Every structure is written in C-alpha cells, then in structure tokens.
Amino acid sequence: MDWLLTPVGAASAAALRAELTAFLRRHAEDPADVDDARLVVSELVGNAVHHAGGPVWVSLDWSQARPLLTVHDLGPAFELGELSLPETASERGRGLWLVSQLAKDLDVVAKRGQGKRVQAVLGLTRRTEVSFDPLRRRLNPLPAADEAGPAGFGKEAFLRALVVELARTAEADQGPAVVEQLVAQVGATVGGQMEEEYRQARTVTGRLTPEQVADCYLRLKGAIDGDFYVISTGLDKIVLGNRRCPFGDTVRQAPALCRMTSSVFGGIAARNHDDAVVLLDERIAVGDPECRVTVLLGAAARNNPGGHHYRAPS
C-alpha cells in the first residue's frame, strides 16, 4: 500500500495515521499490539511532515511475517547513531528513542539525491485470513485539461484513464487482491510478448544471458519513453538505473504503478534463470532523483527473503 501526503500538514498526517491504524487493527493477530504500532507510525510520519518541507511518501509492506513501514521525504538526512533515553530536560530524541523501543530494525538511509528513507518493522503478526487492503484514496484518472490538443484529448491520455478506472472499478467491486492478480497477469503477458519481440529483433535463441536480459529491459522501457541504463551485470545480479518514468509525473501520485516494472522484469528474468527477485531500491515515484532496480537471478534470488519473487513456469 502506498500513500502520497499532499498537501503536507497535520490534517493529512492525521488522516493517514487513522487509515493505517484501522488497517492494522483489522488484520493484526492481537489488536492490542496496534497501539504501539500506531505510535511508531505517528512519530515517523509526524517527523517527516515537520522537517521535510515538501512531499512525503509512505508505504506499508506486509508480505513478510511483520509489516514494514517506509517513509520517504525530501528533508535533511541525519545519522541514527546510538539511541538512548534522552535526559529529562531534553526536547530532542525522545520520538526516535520511543520508536526504537516499539519497532524492530529501525533504519535511516540518505537518498543519493535529496532527502532520506526511514524504515521500521512493526511489532505485529497477521491473523490467518483472506484479507484485503483498504481502498486507496481516489485520484482523478481523467486527463488533465492541459493535456488536450486542438482536437481534444489524444488516444494515450484516454487509454491511460480507461485502464486506471477499470482497475479501480474492479477493486471497489471485488477487492484489491483481485486487482493485484490482474496486474501480475498483465505484466507477465506483456513482458512475455516484449521478450519475444526482443528475441526476433536480436536473433536470439535459448536462454538469455544476464547481459541480454538487461539489454531486453532497456529496449522495452525505451520503447515506452523510459530512460533506463545498465549500472552493472553479473552472473547472479543485474542493476539498472532510470532517469525518466514512462508514466511521467503521474507516478508520484500513484507509486503502486512501480509494481508493473517488478512484474515485467521479474517474469523475463525467471523464464531465463528459473528464479528471480526484483528489488525497487530507489524510485522516482517516492521522491528519489532516479530509479534503481536490482534483479537477482537463480540461487541469489532463492536465498533472498525480500523483494518480489518470481519463478519460471514448470
């Protein structure tokens, strides 16, 4: 789940805190533990709102045993250092010390450009259930007025609005889990077709090497106006950067669109190397100056518990 706080302020932070707390309370094994998680959310989001002076992005990933809260902002970075209980008269440091006591694996990382990423694992476990994320805040998917040309809105703007609204209608009717399955299927299908086009264009047969997989990524992303480039390739890992998102500024309002990249990249890598994990290390969608994507291959993927996992069809 992803949120963009804008305008940044006490009201938007309070609304997000309430939405996140309600979600955690619905799905936590012990609802009594949610109060501690709520304090962690309140402190990390409140700190970002107070110091960032700009947009704040928040995500919650509960794909592992415990939920991972991530807060991105463009404010000044700082060193976490050794946390201890502040002196009684001190007005600083209490919040982070409290978070360090209530959460696990608190981490602060400076972005390569401006800002920082703060992560904490919340001390909750999830009930065994068929669960759904709450509905996202509705963003207007319709084309902006300044996208219209002399004859009105073009095909690209219309199709983008159509796809987004279809996904939202399905989510409202059948739940987010169904939409996520649809996105995964679309990514796998589109990625497979793009791989076939690459093979024909490059006259390639058999399994793609890591270098060829990376070249395939560049070709397909370049075709849809991305600006990806290879940082490094090896037998078990591909690292890519990206200067321009194919979705343009829209991605900053809907960071979940990044999951399409995971699905397409992961499917191609897994078909050629059996197993793959896609790590979205940096994202333009959450305020980073560029994207950085790491794709782990084969045994490196099987031994990594994080990221989005993909396996070749048997």
Side-chain angles (χ1 to χ4, degrees):
M1 305 197 308
D2 299 274
W3 296 266
L4 167 65
L5 269 65
T6 182
V8 174
S12 60
L16 172 59
R17 183 173 60 246
E19 184 175 341
L20 254 171
T21 301
F23 171 72
L24 294 172
R25 200 175 299 280
R26 282 197 301 273
H27 302 299
E29 185 174 23
D30 185 354
D33 293 336
V34 174
D35 290 338
D36 288 350
R38 180 180 182 277
L39 288 175
V40 174
V41 172
S42 180
E43 175 60 31
L44 295 187
V45 173
N47 187 64
V49 168
H50 180 72
H51 295 289
V56 175
W57 296 267
V58 179
S59 67
L60 184 73
D61 179 1
W62 208 339
S63 59
Q64 302 298 315
R66 297 182 184 273
L68 174 65
L69 177 72
T70 304
V71 180
H72 296 257
D73 66 62
L74 302 181
F78 60 89
E79 294 289 337
L80 192 58
E82 292 292 331
L83 292 175
S84 58
L85 180 62
E87 297 293 333
T88 304
S90 174
E91 297 182 359
R92 299 179 59 85
R94 293 180 179 273
L96 282 177
W97 178 84
L98 179 62
V99 169
S100 71
Q101 302 304 299
L102 299 177
K104 303 177 184 300
D105 300 324
L106 177 63
D107 188 33
V108 180
V109 178
K111 294 175 178 288
R112 287 192 302 133
Q114 178 186 3
K116 60 185 176 296
R117 181 188 75 221
V118 182
Q119 290 186 314
V121 177
L122 304 181
L124 299 171
T125 55
R126 192 165 190 159
R127 291 198 307 268
T128 301
E129 60 177 9
V130 177
S131 59
F132 300 101
D133 294 348
L135 294 178
R136 279 68 164 178
R137 296 185 182 90
R138 289 187 65 86
L139 300 172
N140 183 7
L142 301 178
D146 58 5
E147 293 184 73
F153 292 111
K155 179 171 62 176
E156 180 179 346
F158 170 76
L159 291 177
R160 184 184 69 238
L162 178 64
V163 170
V164 172
E165 193 58 26
L166 281 173
R168 288 177 173 170
T169 301
E171 180 174 334
D173 185 49
Q174 301 183 52
V178 172
V179 177
E180 290 178 3
Q181 291 174 1
L182 291 173
V183 170
Q185 180 62 58
V186 169
T189 303
V190 172
Q193 188 71 6
M194 289 179 166
E195 181 184 342
E196 287 303 314
E197 187 279 332
Y198 173 81
R199 289 177 176 277
Q200 293 179 17
R202 298 286 196 264
T203 318
V204 176
T205 59
R207 290 196 170 200
L208 301 180
T209 66
E211 290 76 15
Q212 290 171 326
V213 170
D215 186 41
C216 180
Y217 292 160
L218 298 190
R219 181 177 177 85
L220 68 89
K221 284 295 188 179
I224 58 174
D225 203 29
D227 190 14
F228 278 73
Y229 59 92
V230 176
I231 296 175
S232 66
T233 58
L235 293 177
D236 60 355
K237 182 169 66 174
I238 301 168
V239 183
L240 300 171
N242 176 41
R243 306 179 186 91
R244 181 177 61 249
C245 179
F247 290 106
D249 291 339
T250 302
V251 78
R252 291 180 177 266
Q253 300 182 46
L257 290 171
C258 299
R259 293 171 186 168
M260 181 61 72
T261 295
S262 297
S263 182
V264 172
F265 281 15
I268 293 173
R271 280 189 295 274
N272 290 279
H273 294 272
D274 298 326
D275 292 272
V277 165
V278 179
L279 303 170
L280 302 177
D281 301 317
E282 296 183 2
R283 296 188 289 163
I284 292 172
V286 294
D288 292 311
E290 295 186 3
C291 297
R292 179 168 292 196
V293 182
T294 299
V295 183
L296 303 178
L297 308 172
R302 290 190 290 273
N303 295 330
N304 189 288
H308 300 280
H309 284 247
Y310 300 88
R311 179 167 295 175
S314 55

